[in-house]
């Protein structure tokens, strides 16, 4: 079960630095206010908090030491360098994010996804600059290690969604739909972080509705999915994301011209070619 | 106007290396078989070809020198190191790719986009491993410079699509739809490169249809776009990507259960809350 609130570890650790600067600076083991494991965890938590609010190139070992109330040599006692702390704190963040995708398989699917997206967007909001730096790539700290963390989180999201769809052998097309929608969620979150032009709740609703649309399009191409789609719609509720989408689309199709044009396309005599007309229009 | 065929420069340059190894190895200027500019261009073309078929970490300065029929010192005479050649060849590739997005504003929109996607997917196919290494990130050669090239290509795609939509002041929501669809095209191309599980023409058609669906969803949320959407549909042809999508969806909605379930959602009494039902189902 996912925790529904962000883990307070990082914040707690940053507020309660252990005062062992002197001992560490002299090259000794840190005073036993924190055990070795605890100290390591504290450094990771402090680093994660710093990397969440600033891109990695703007966080130094000195910043991490200062936020942890530790000395530079102490930090180097635990980690060979900044990259190692960065990657370790990223792995923790990735694990926490992946945990937020977990959702009991109960209730209409779009409402489950809506709850998951709420937790995902909370994470995006609270780890904004670090999340952006990580996904935008091109950071000096990008590496095969950071890439592996991103891939791991994407795979967790993909697997969770497929498990909720409960389709025994998902087709390559359906898997691709899920992966493309995850990319959509990432890019949409990044844009939102940069501009914050709409309330987060709107984004949450739109992302879920885009998933419903993508699923419908996939079923339109793959007749084997039609029965699953029928079961999906039958389970949805009028006041959920799908119900609201259906009514928005119904409103759009009531606009003069749209239904007529679409009906003309739907009822045209079946064309003989099996591809779009190839002739150039220029 | 975009060239419709890949530039043959790289292939030509790789097949006709200038035999100036001896002169360069002795530290002299290369023999004047190629001018300085020509030699630089040749090195970039050869490097681009290598970086297209292998990830950057698997291409060495020696590989570039050998493919160009040049010496290692000659390559260093023109470029400070591999990263500089990589970034320059990437800039060229980015410029070529951006050129492929250019399309005359004539004919139904989905058919224009279909032609653009054909050229884009040709590029993906012919630059596969390099394209994948670049977009997957986490390469040792990823940098702010390579990131800037990717951003530039995405911006060119975004601007071209908006210019074809011909909507005077695109809303933030519409811009986001375009950007998310570009991310979809990228991830779909990457998946295709890894598995090649469907014919490229199918991908080309599906991506265009997904754009049409995304545009429709955006208009469902933004009533100001409804008139533009009506004009878009009125311009489409039955045998184009949009016409085929409409018929596929009509076929899907003829499956028992789907129309009934969707109609029930559309005609339910308008719920009083303006958000999805918040109660947990567990």
């Amino acid at each position: 079960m996912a925790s529904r609130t962000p883990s307070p570890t990082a914040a707690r650790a940053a507020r309660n630095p252990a005062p062992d600067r002197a001992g560490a600076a002299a090259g000794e083991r840190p005073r036993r206010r924190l055990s070795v494991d605890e100290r390591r965890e504290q450094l990771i938590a402090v680093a994660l908090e710093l990397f969440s609010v600033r891109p990695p190139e703007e966080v130094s070992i000195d910043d991490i030491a200062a936020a942890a109330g530790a000395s530079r040599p102490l930090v180097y006692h635990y980690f060979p360098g900044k990259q190692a702390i960065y990657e370790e704190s990223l792995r923790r963040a990735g694990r926490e994010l992946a945990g937020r995708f977990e959702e009991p398989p109960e209730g209409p699917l779009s409402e489950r996804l809506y709850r998951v997206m709420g937790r995902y967007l909370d994470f995006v909001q609270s780890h904004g600059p670090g999340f952006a730096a990580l996904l935008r790539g091109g950071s000096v700290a990008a590496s095969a290690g950071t890439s592996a963390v991103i891939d791991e989180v994407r795979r967790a999201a993909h697997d969770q969604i497929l498990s909720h769809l409960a389709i025994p052998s998902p087709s390559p097309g359906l898997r691709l739909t899920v992966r493309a929608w995850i990319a959509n969620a990432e890019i949409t979150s990044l844009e939102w972080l940069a501009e914050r032009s709409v309330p987060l709740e709107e984004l949450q609703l739109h992302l879920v509705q885009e998933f419903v649309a993508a699923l419908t399009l996939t079923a339109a191409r793959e007749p084997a999915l039609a029965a699953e789609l029928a079961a999906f719609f039958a389970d949805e509720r009028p006041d959920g994301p799908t119900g609201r989408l259906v009514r928005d689309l119904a409103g759009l199709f009531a606009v003069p011209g749209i239904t007529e044009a679409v009906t003309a396309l739907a009822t045209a005599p079946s064309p003989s070619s099996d591809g779009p007309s190839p002739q150039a229009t220029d």
Side-chain angles (χ1 to χ4, degrees), chain A residues 80-136:
Chain A
K82 188 175 92 172
Q83 185 71 20
I85 310 184
Y86 180 60
E87 293 189 9
E88 184 57 35
S89 64
L90 212 58
R91 268 191 289 274
R92 303 299 174 97
R95 227 173 291 155
E96 196 209 317
L97 182 52
R100 293 186 181 212
F101 301 146
E102 284 168 33
E103 170 73 24
E106 288 151 22
L109 191 72
S110 76
E111 296 177 30
R112 294 184 219 167
L113 191 54
Y114 185 81
R115 288 189 290 269
V116 169
M117 293 318 288
R119 295 194 295 269
Y120 166 77
L121 291 170
D122 274 350
F123 181 94
V124 168
Q125 186 165 32
S126 58
H127 297 74
F131 181 85
L134 177 64
L135 285 187
R136 289 212 183 275

Side-chain angles (χ1 to χ4, degrees), chain A residues 122-204:
Chain A
D122 274 350
F123 181 94
V124 168
Q125 186 165 32
S126 58
H127 297 74
F131 181 85
L134 177 64
L135 285 187
R136 289 212 183 275
S139 154
V140 291
S143 71
T146 62
S147 236
V149 172
I150 300 174
D151 285 347
E152 195 57 50
V153 173
R154 286 178 182 150
R155 185 161 35 241
H158 171 261
D159 291 351
Q160 271 296 316
I161 291 171
L162 281 180
S163 86
H164 283 277
L165 285 173
I167 292 171
S169 315
S171 66
L174 180 59
R175 289 177 175 278
L176 186 52
T177 295
V178 171
R179 256 168 268 186
W181 178 80
I182 291 167
N184 175 10
E186 288 176 17
I187 193 95
T188 302
S189 316
L190 284 175
E191 294 283 325
W192 182 83
L193 279 172
E195 306 188 1
R196 304 192 185 227
S197 53
V198 297
L200 208 55
E201 294 69 31
E202 235 173 79
L203 217 62
Q204 184 182 357

Side-chain angles (χ1 to χ4, degrees), chain A residues 10 22 133 229:
Chain A
L229 194 76

Side-chain angles (χ1 to χ4, degrees), chain A residues 1-27:
Chain A
M1 205 25 242
S3 67
R4 301 205 174 213
T5 49
S7 150
T9 318
R12 206 171 44 227
R15 276 193 293 273
N16 299 313
D20 59 1
R21 190 181 301 261

